[in-house]
Amino acid sequence: MKDKKLLVLAAGILQVPIIKKAREMGCYVIAADGDPNAVGLPLADKAVVANIVSEEVMLEVAKREEIDGVIHPCSEVAMNVMGRINDELQLSGITRDMAIRATNKHLMREAFEAYGAPGPKSLLTASAEDAWGLFCKEFDTNAILKPSRNSGSRGIAKVEKGIAKDAFVALYKRALEESRDHSVLIEQFIEGPEFSVEIIVWQGEVHVLTVTDKKTTEAPYFVELGHNQPSTFPAETVAVIEEAAVKGVKALGLNNCAAHAEVKVMDGKPYLMEIGARLGGDFISTELTHLSTGIDMVAAAIHVALGIPPCLESTEPRHGVCIRYFTPEPGQLISLNNTNVLNSPHVYQAEIYHGVGDIIPGVRSSLDRSGHVIVTHDTVQEAIALADSLVQDVEFRTAKV
């Protein structure tokens, strides 16, 4: 591995574990980010401040550095760039065509339908007026408005039957503003629990590592507030979730990559929400998966990007693991108390994102959360119970502004 050069596209907080792991593995790591203050840049062997969403700019960097692999973990903004680099330099990893299918939710839905992978009813809209007409005529259930290209729950909103047109249009405009390709889908609302499936695809074989239970806010925004592994649901439920995820990966034609599939279950039937051809965010792939399975998913994804067979065997102890996010009342943070509870030996990692004087926003996307705590325990049920209590015990005192 010491002679391998890995280009990491993006160097934010979610990419730090990948940069660190790659260096631990002996790789020469080149981290690229448009922000010169990105926290991951100083951790790499070489930092490149550049526009990572420009195919031409990053292709030139990749050629100049003579890289052996490229990875864009826990993000989707530069997936097309990664695919283009792989195509041009004939590297292991997804192609540009794969990247397009895995980031455009309309093309993804078409691929699912063509392959027979289960998904909700989904229609591409032309305008707010068109979306309103479709909602009134084509849906006899509640629906979801979502950007066709984005992640992290940005722009997603539930629209209920009986909603006023002006309220619908306001939510549509918000989804449109958050869409990277300026288009919006309207989809059948699936009432039921949500999961993610953590996957490594290597040389055509789809390897499911684990299923993650998700906890989200209520309508309209469905921001993720926590995750736990392994799933607490019955084995038969987990089996249908895994089967749906594998079908979705095959429908998209993904190969030689990590994948993060999001699935909901209603009346025992799985529905694919979306699949990212990448490591999942929210510490799911970087921390939770190795803690619960003993499999180093980050190392596996790095190996795959470099064209090296990944190790998919457990190499460390397995735990029940849970992450919960802090979401205090909006306003100015006046005081923060009782943080000493986070010193529990079961707390694997904890961070508060705000300090006294900061403005705490209302939670409308994953960017609005105020901190997190990761708990490990003998069982997942014990981890969940402790994480939930810690989120309650830390006292954020806010005042309206």
Side-chain angles (χ1 to χ4, degrees):
M1 293 286 288
K2 289 185 178 180
D3 60 343
K4 298 293 185 181
K5 286 187 175 183
L6 179 71
L7 173 61
V8 181
L9 297 177
I13 187 66
L14 293 179
Q15 288 77 43
V16 165
I18 291 81
I19 294 169
K20 287 182 174 180
K21 175 61 68 172
R23 293 196 70 192
E24 288 174 13
M25 294 166 65
C27 295
Y28 182 87
V29 178
I30 303 146
D33 201 293
D35 178 5
N37 299 313
V39 293
L41 291 179
L43 304 176
D45 293 288
K46 183 171 185 177
V48 175
V49 178
N51 181 7
I52 66 168
V53 299
S54 168
E55 293 184 15
E56 300 306 325
V57 168
M58 295 316 302
L59 182 60
E60 176 58 33
V61 170
K63 289 178 176 178
R64 182 177 70 243
E65 299 295 336
E66 299 181 323
I67 66 168
D68 298 290
V70 56
I71 192 169
H72 183 42
C74 311
S75 179
E76 294 190 345
V77 297
M79 293 293 284
N80 292 8
V81 175
M82 181 173 69
R84 171 80 180 281
I85 292 171
N86 286 332
D87 286 347
E88 294 272 350
L89 302 186
Q90 297 184 317
L91 301 176
S92 177
I94 64 170
T95 66
R96 190 174 185 278
D97 285 345
M98 292 179 199
I100 291 170
R101 285 194 299 274
T103 53
N104 183 298
K105 293 179 177 63
H106 176 58
L107 297 179
M108 188 182 299
R109 288 276 176 259
E110 289 186 329
F112 289 165
E113 185 174 355
Y115 192 85
K121 180 179 182 179
S122 177
L123 299 172
L124 182 65
T125 68
S127 64
E129 191 68 32
D130 177 52
W132 175 251
L134 291 171
F135 179 56
C136 294
K137 296 175 184 177
E138 299 291 335
F139 290 83
D140 55 8
T141 65
N142 298 329
I144 290 284
L145 290 169
K146 64 167 59 174
S148 59
R149 282 200 67 198
N150 214 324
S151 59
S153 305
R154 299 177 186 89
I156 293 177
K158 180 183 180 183
V159 288
E160 297 185 345
K161 298 302 288 185
I163 189 175
K165 183 177 180 181
D166 58 348
F168 179 96
V169 169
L171 291 173
Y172 181 92
K173 288 180 178 178
R174 178 175 175 271
L176 186 64
E177 288 170 359
E178 293 286 355
S179 180
R180 294 195 188 103
D181 64 358
H182 307 293
S183 58
V184 174
L185 298 176
I186 184 165
E187 295 188 345
Q188 171 192 7
F189 177 68
I190 304 301
E191 189 75 58
E194 186 172 352
F195 308 84
S196 68
V197 186
E198 318 321 321
I199 295 167
I200 293 290
V201 192
W202 173 246
Q203 294 188 346
E205 292 293 324
V206 182
H207 302 272
V208 173
L209 305 190
T210 191
V211 171
T212 309
D213 298 342
K214 289 178 173 284
K215 178 180 180 180
T216 67
T217 61
E218 298 300 321
Y221 303 121
F222 304 102
V223 179
E224 295 177 3
L225 297 183
H227 318 283
N228 60 264
Q229 296 175 2
S231 176
T232 61
F233 282 72
E236 56 268 26
T237 302
V238 172
V240 298
I241 292 166
E242 292 181 349
E243 181 181 4
V246 171
K247 282 186 178 179
V249 168
K250 291 181 176 180
L252 296 177
L254 301 182
N255 196 18
N256 297 336
C257 65
H260 175 74
E262 297 189 345
V263 182
K264 293 188 79 171
V265 174
M266 183 171 68
D267 298 329
K269 180 181 177 182
Y271 293 82
L272 284 166
M273 297 294 102
E274 57 188 78
I275 296 178
R278 55 174 173 79
L279 291 167
D282 279 1
F283 305 97
I284 295 172
S285 297
T286 55
E287 300 293 0
L288 271 61
T289 299
H290 79 86
L291 290 170
S292 73
T293 68
I295 299 170
D296 192 335
M297 188 174 186
V298 173
I302 291 168
H303 276 132
V304 166
L306 293 169
I308 298 169
C311 174
L312 300 177
E313 303 296 328
S314 294
T315 58
E316 59 183 88
R318 303 180 185 187
H319 309 272
V321 59
C322 175
I323 184 171
R324 288 290 184 263
Y325 286 89
F326 295 97
T327 55
E329 288 295 315
Q332 186 173 33
L333 184 58
I334 303 302
S335 64
L336 180 63
N337 302 302
N338 210 30
T339 57
N340 60 298
V341 298
L342 300 177
N343 295 328
S344 164
H346 292 288
V347 171
Y348 174 81
Q349 184 184 106
E351 184 177 356
I352 305 297
Y353 309 154
H354 296 291
V356 171
D358 288 352
I359 302 299
I360 304 293
V363 179
R364 299 175 67 178
S365 82
S366 59
L367 299 177
D368 298 325
R369 300 171 302 197
S370 296
H372 73 270
V373 57
I374 299 175
V375 171
T376 62
H377 221 300
D378 295 337
T379 68
V380 66
Q381 289 82 3
E382 290 172 298
I384 292 169
L386 180 54
D388 284 341
S389 69
L390 292 173
V391 166
Q392 294 298 318
D393 290 343
V394 175
E395 299 173 2
F396 289 79
R397 182 168 166 247
T398 60
K400 292 183 179 180
V401 292

